[in-house]
Amino acid sequence: MKNSKLVVALGAVIAALVSSGPVAAQDSGFYLGGALGQSKFKEWCDTGGSPITLTSCGDTDTAWKLLGGYRFGPNFALEGSLIDWGEVSATT
């Protein structure tokens, strides 16, 4: 729970920085971006007929992405990103 509050706060800061001055049609320069959302691990909690019974399973979590790079020209850029898709928790 504490981690999701940090992600929401980080997302708000990134959104404020990105929306403060849109960079339109520039040929070169640094750029930053980010995303915040919810991840759903489809069929993760489905045991598929195995003898294992799960008493609880959490297959949704907060996901976020932070990216940045440098655009050298209109056709070439170098970019890096940091992504956290969240985690699944289950108890048997």
Side-chain angles (χ1 to χ4, degrees), residues 37-42 59-64 84-87:
Q38 182 182 33
S39 61
K40 170 93 170 132
F41 297 90
K42 293 174 75 174
D59 60 354
T60 59
D61 200 3
T62 302
W64 58 270
D84 182 1
W85 285 293
E87 61 184 42

Side-chain angles (χ1 to χ4, degrees), residues 27-29 70-74 76-78:
D27 289 335
S28 64
Y70 186 81
R71 186 177 303 116
F72 294 99
F76 184 73
L78 185 62

Side-chain angles (χ1 to χ4, degrees), residues 1 3-4 13 15-19 23-25 35 37 43 58 60 71 75-76 79-80 85 87 89:
M1 188 64 156
N3 188 21
S4 63
V13 169
L17 290 173
V18 171
S19 65
V23 179
E43 301 176 5
T60 59
R71 186 177 303 116
N75 299 318
F76 184 73
E79 180 177 293
W85 285 293
E87 61 184 42
S89 60

Side-chain angles (χ1 to χ4, degrees), residues 2-26:
K2 192 168 38 171
N3 188 21
S4 63
K5 289 181 182 179
L6 174 65
V7 170
V8 171
L10 180 63
V13 169
I14 291 170
L17 290 173
V18 171
S19 65
S20 65
V23 179
Q26 283 196 352

